[in-house]
């Protein structure tokens, strides 16, 4: 029996990565209350505009010096406004920094107004590409870190892999379209050897677009993946709703994927969109291990 067609959803653009976060092992520095308030206000303004394409945000970029003044590290906690049903509430987010692979992102921690706390478990701690878990038989695309909220059915993962030449035929990334980048990543995510048409029956791209940050392109996209039936929903209605962002460095694609079940998208989707919009490749430190280094090493 042929699989039921994936539903068509109306998409609102909100995935453009519009602000810059630099992560490092910064130490706390004495700072006045006034300066703290100024920097916190700047962070709020930048993240708040990540879902608004009507005004530019790059001029509000945060400098490494500013983050050091705030004593930021991988445990940074910030609160950002989230538009709810008729009221504005504060979303607390933490900064995650992976120095091994040189990237960062913000992930939701709590909604104090609702007394709601996310239950994240770090299912895969950051590791080098050579030892990371493969997503396909050819081991091209690999998960280098992952966190899961089992209670709320949320997953945030970062994968690294080379471009798929079937979709990205040129080495010049300025010629790549967001849809081609999305197709490249999704093709290499498949756990089975399938044709393009078979993969499209399994997943469906709802939207894809690109933006530029510090002269580097970021490709953002939204897609659905058909899931096996569970007691919660029949197979014809069960999908996993993803938002993702991809950037290229040294011939490899770095992708952050955030997802939940389609039935939870209205509630959880805005939080995951903020996570995807915060994804950034960071300036490498001495701890950075490029994907091409020691490909045989598994520790």
């Amino acid at each position: 029996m042929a699989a039921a067609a994936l539903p068509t959803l109306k998409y609102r653009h909100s995935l453009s990565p519009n602000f810059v976060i630099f992560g490092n092992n910064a130490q706390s520095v004495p700072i006045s209350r006034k300066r703290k308030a100024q920097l916190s206000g700047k962070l709020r303004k930048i993240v708040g505009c990540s879902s608004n394409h009507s005004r530019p945000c790059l001029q509000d970029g945060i400098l490494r010096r500013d983050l050091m003044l705030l004593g930021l590290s991988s445990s940074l906690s910030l609160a950002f406004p989230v538009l709810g049903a008729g009221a504005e509430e504060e979303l607390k987010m933490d900064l995650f920094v992976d120095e091994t692979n040189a990237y960062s992102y913000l992930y939701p921690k709590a909604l104090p107004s609702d007394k709601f706390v996310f239950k994240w478990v770090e299912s895969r701690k950051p590791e080098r590409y050579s030892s990371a878990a493969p997503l396909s038989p050819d081991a091209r695309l690999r998960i280098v870190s992952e966190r899961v909220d089992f209670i709320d059915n949320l997953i945030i993962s970062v994968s690294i892999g080379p471009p798929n030449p079937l979709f990205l035929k040129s080495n010049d990334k300025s010629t790549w379209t967001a849809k081609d980048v999305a197709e490249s990543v999704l093709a290499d995510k498949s756990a089975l050897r399938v044709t393009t048409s078979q993969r499209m029956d399994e997943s469906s791209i709802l939207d894809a677009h690109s933006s530029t940050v510090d002269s580097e392109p970021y490709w953002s996209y939204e897609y659905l993946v058909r899931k096996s039936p569970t007691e919660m929903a029949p197979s014809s209605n069960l999908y996993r709703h993803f938002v993702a962002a991809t950037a290229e460095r040294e011939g490899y694609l770095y992708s952050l994927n955030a997802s939940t079940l389609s039935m939870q998208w209205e509630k959880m989707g805005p939080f995951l969109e903020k996570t995807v919009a915060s994804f950034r490749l960071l300036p490498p430190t001495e701890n950075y291990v490029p994907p091409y280094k020691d490909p045989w090493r598994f520790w």
Side-chain angles (χ1 to χ4, degrees), residues 31-86:
I31 180 173
S32 68
R33 290 185 178 180
K34 180 178 179 181
R35 182 56 174 155
K36 283 185 179 179
Q38 290 174 342
L39 296 178
S40 297
K42 187 185 292 186
L43 283 169
R44 287 171 181 267
K45 182 178 179 182
I46 291 168
V47 179
C49 72
S50 66
S51 60
N52 186 351
H53 285 257
S54 63
R55 59 188 177 91
C57 304
L58 294 183
Q59 70 270 23
D60 296 320
I62 300 297
L63 300 177
R64 182 187 296 271
R65 172 180 55 83
D66 291 334
L67 294 184
M68 291 182 68
L69 287 174
L70 279 174
L72 300 185
S73 67
S74 58
S75 61
L76 167 69
S77 181
L78 298 171
F80 304 111
V82 175
L83 293 180

Side-chain angles (χ1 to χ4, degrees), residues 155-174:
I155 301 175
I156 299 173
S157 65
V158 175
S159 61
I160 299 176
N164 190 314
L166 293 177
F167 302 97
L168 302 176
K169 304 180 185 300
S170 171
N171 292 327
D172 182 4
K173 62 184 177 183
S174 66

Side-chain angles (χ1 to χ4, degrees), residues 129 133-136 138-143 159-161 185 188-189:
Y129 175 78
L135 281 167
S136 58
D138 57 19
R140 286 165 46 86
L141 190 66
R142 307 181 187 184
I143 299 176
S159 61
I160 299 176
V185 174
D188 281 343
K189 279 187 70 173

Side-chain angles (χ1 to χ4, degrees), residues 88-159:
E88 186 175 280
E89 54 186 348
E90 294 293 317
L91 171 66
K92 296 187 70 173
M93 303 185 78
D94 273 7
L95 175 66
F96 174 78
V97 177
D98 177 357
E99 290 193 337
T100 300
N101 299 292
Y103 65 82
S104 71
Y105 63 84
L106 293 163
Y107 62 96
K109 287 290 289 183
L111 280 170
S113 59
D114 289 346
K115 297 182 179 180
F116 179 82
V117 177
F118 292 85
K119 300 87 177 174
W120 293 110
V121 175
E122 196 171 33
S123 55
R124 298 182 189 273
K125 294 186 177 182
E127 59 184 321
R128 56 194 300 154
Y129 175 78
S130 62
S131 61
L135 281 167
S136 58
D138 57 19
R140 286 165 46 86
L141 190 66
R142 307 181 187 184
I143 299 176
V144 296
S145 72
E146 183 179 72
R147 63 183 62 247
V148 178
D149 181 335
F150 292 102
I151 303 300
D152 301 304
N153 219 313
L154 306 173
I155 301 175
I156 299 173
S157 65
V158 175
S159 61

Side-chain angles (χ1 to χ4, degrees), residues 228-247:
S228 299
T230 68
E231 294 182 357
M232 295 176 61
S235 59
S236 60
N237 296 324
L238 187 60
Y239 306 93
R240 195 156 191 93
H241 200 139
F242 286 78
V243 281
T246 297

Side-chain angles (χ1 to χ4, degrees), residues 178-255:
K179 188 174 186 299
D180 287 342
V181 171
E183 293 279 13
S184 172
V185 174
L186 291 180
D188 281 343
K189 279 187 70 173
S190 178
L192 300 174
R193 291 294 189 181
V194 297
T195 65
T196 301
S197 61
Q198 287 174 320
R199 189 198 57 73
M200 292 182 69
D201 285 339
E202 178 185 283
S203 61
S204 176
I205 298 173
L206 303 178
D207 186 82
H209 59 276
S210 62
S211 59
T212 302
V213 178
D214 291 338
S215 301
E216 289 296 326
Y218 281 76
W219 300 277
S220 303
Y221 42 101
E222 181 180 9
Y223 61 98
L224 298 179
V225 172
R226 185 181 305 282
K227 304 302 294 181
S228 299
T230 68
E231 294 182 357
M232 295 176 61
S235 59
S236 60
N237 296 324
L238 187 60
Y239 306 93
R240 195 156 191 93
H241 200 139
F242 286 78
V243 281
T246 297
E248 185 275 343
R249 179 168 56 201
E250 298 182 302
Y252 285 80
L253 299 180
Y254 291 66
S255 302

